[in-house]
Amino acid sequence: MALIDLAHVAGRAPAKTYWTREEARALYDLPFADLMFEAQTVHRRNFDPNRVQMSKLLSIKTGGCAEDCGYCSQSARMPGEKMKASKLMEVERVLAEAQKAKDGGATRYCMGAAWRSPKDRDMDMVVAMVEGVKAMGMETCMTLGMLTPKQALTLKDAGLDYYNHNLDTSERYYSEIISTRTFADRLETLDNVRLAGMKVCAGGILGMGETVDDRVDMLVTLANMDEAPESVPINMLIPIPGTKLENAPPIDPLDFVRTIALARIMMPESHVRLSAGRTEMSDETQALCFLAGANSIFVGDTLLTADNPGEDHDGALFRRLGIGPEALDGAS
Ligand code: SAM
Ligand code: DTB
Ligand code: SF4
């Protein structure tokens, strides 16, 4: 282990704040047991290892999106049959759904829209949704596409806690997946979110045909931000029929676990979210992800449009693993 100083990761030195891709890659390539040990060590220094934060998603505007993200069921530009576009959901309906999520144990409510960016005429309704969910005592999160500095400030003033905007992959691989916006556009929105004073939720997708270096580079970009994202969703591609990536080769589950471990080590104080793709993972793979430092999930039967394991399955898995929900303030 010549390239990196494991004293940093094993808790005998202050947390590293700048990562080179060589250091990160060397960690990824460690023998599996060594990588898991380092990830658990870092995890236990920063979190209760038996608590997982639970968020619920709602698609407030589905389908008909102008972007061409190669993985997404909601793009109007996908090669195959397109999903019908819905209108922006009424505020009352959103709040009724949020109440159900709260009753089901969610502590954060995430609202997503299939937009390239919000139109200014949509902002009043979006603001009312944030205010309403906040008033229920849940944390609020939105993912609406690119934001101007002004839109970011409007959302912050409404009480939005988190904004989700993923890098999705490395800068190098980005243009293979999306052509209608750039990696730099994504970083600009993340800057606008941070400058407005909101917490950042940013991560990516694995299993899109990317290399290990692409995975490592994406995490290096996130970890080297002036402030690392508070929440780092790692999605496993859900291959959607009709999208450009419908036949992408599935990722080896142990490589998925390695990437979670790397995210945990490189961003020790962030929540690492085991996001999309859990329906296709065995319970054993999910258990390894939690062992590697994942400590946040989406609950419920549906993500935005795709399936999620649901309460019964997750409840049984958490009982088997002795895992409980994290309290709202992050304490256990
Ligand atoms: N339109 C907004 C945007 O793209 O930022 C927000 C919604 S978008 C669906 C949120 C994220 O979901 C994407 O950035 C991507 O990381 C993830 N995602 C979308 N489709 C996915 C799929 N089929 N499998 C895994 N993750 C997916
Ligand atoms: C994220 O990284 N994953 C969530 C959330 N952010 C918005 C979305 C997953 C979407 C999976 C595909 C679907 O449901 O359409
Ligand atoms: Fe649109 Fe977001 Fe889907 Fe891309 S990921 S097509 S921006 S909804």
Side-chain angles (χ1 to χ4, degrees):
M1 192 67 269
L3 273 170
I4 58 158
D5 176 5
L6 278 183
H8 279 292
V9 293
R12 296 185 293 273
K16 254 180 82 63
T17 52
Y18 181 80
W19 288 87
T20 66
R21 58 145 59 134
E22 289 75 21
E23 288 168 331
R25 176 71 202 234
L27 268 179
Y28 186 99
D29 288 334
L30 279 175
F32 190 75
D34 292 346
L35 177 59
M36 294 298 276
F37 179 72
E38 298 305 336
Q40 253 297 300
T41 305
V42 170
H43 194 42
R44 281 170 184 268
R45 277 181 69 202
N46 293 285
F47 292 99
D48 179 335
N50 303 311
R51 298 276 167 189
V52 167
Q53 188 277 330
M54 299 190 191
S55 298
K56 178 78 180 77
L57 269 170
L58 176 71
S59 180
I60 58 170
K61 193 270 166 192
T62 309
C65 183
E67 303 277 34
D68 71 349
C69 311
Y71 46 78
C72 187
S73 63
Q74 305 196 68
S75 169
R77 296 168 182 249
M78 61 196 258
E81 200 181 329
K82 288 145 200 55
M83 188 176 274
K84 203 167 159 276
S86 77
K87 281 196 181 148
L88 182 58
M89 200 181 269
E90 293 299 329
V91 177
E92 274 140 57
R93 215 179 125 205
V94 172
L95 299 186
E97 292 296 325
Q99 186 61 51
K100 280 191 232 163
K102 188 181 177 195
D103 296 342
T107 53
R108 190 179 307 161
Y109 202 61
C110 305
M111 294 156 271
W115 284 330
R116 174 176 164 82
S117 52
K119 304 260 184 308
D120 285 338
R121 64 166 186 265
D122 297 319
M123 290 304 283
D124 286 351
M125 272 172 80
V126 163
V127 161
M129 291 173 196
V130 174
E131 288 172 346
V133 173
K134 192 82 184 154
M136 288 176 193
M138 273 190 288
E139 288 182 315
T140 51
C141 176
M142 281 193 157
T143 180
L144 312 173
M146 294 185 281
L147 292 184
T148 62
K150 187 167 167 244
Q151 288 173 328
L153 282 169
T154 303
L155 291 172
K156 167 70 185 166
D157 286 348
L160 190 63
D161 296 304
Y162 288 82
Y163 196 78
N164 166 248
H165 200 66
N166 290 338
L167 294 183
D168 282 337
T169 189
S170 68
E171 183 167 17
R172 188 195 68 80
Y173 197 52
Y174 195 85
S175 59
E176 303 280 325
I177 305 296
I178 300 149
S179 77
T180 49
R181 51 169 152 66
T182 64
F183 194 78
D185 290 332
R186 290 309 261 191
L187 292 175
E188 192 180 318
T189 289
L190 290 175
D191 272 349
N192 293 340
V193 170
R194 187 57 92 195
L195 286 171
M198 284 181 282
K199 291 182 190 158
V200 171
C201 172
I205 308 179
L206 309 184
M208 300 196 294
E210 74 286 345
T211 62
V212 170
D213 281 337
D214 290 318
R215 291 173 203 149
V216 167
D217 282 359
M218 179 182 83
L219 294 183
V220 166
T221 303
L222 293 168
N224 285 346
M225 287 176 168
D226 290 341
E227 264 182 278
E230 284 80 3
S231 166
V232 182
I234 305 293
N235 297 276
M236 189 172 80
L237 177 73
I238 302 177
I240 312 269
T243 59
K244 203 171 102 183
L245 289 170
E246 67 174 317
N247 295 315
I251 180 171
D252 175 344
L254 293 182
D255 286 341
F256 189 90
V257 175
R258 280 182 181 277
T259 312
I260 296 269
L262 192 58
R264 163 52 59 230
I265 294 167
M266 293 171 71
M267 291 170 271
E269 293 173 6
S270 306
H271 278 78
V272 176
R273 183 188 301 271
L274 178 55
S275 298
R278 291 198 298 119
T279 49
E280 293 308 308
M281 283 177 209
S282 68
D283 285 358
E284 292 77 11
T285 299
Q286 292 190 58
L288 282 175
C289 289
F290 295 126
L291 197 62
N295 59 348
S296 169
I297 58 164
F298 288 115
V299 293
D301 295 331
T302 316
L303 293 162
L304 290 170
T305 67
D307 290 345
N308 198 47
E311 204 181 315
D312 292 350
H313 191 109
D314 281 343
L317 176 60
F318 281 6
R319 273 191 296 280
R320 285 171 78 198
L321 299 177
I323 286 178
E326 185 185 86
L328 188 52
D329 62 358
S332 50

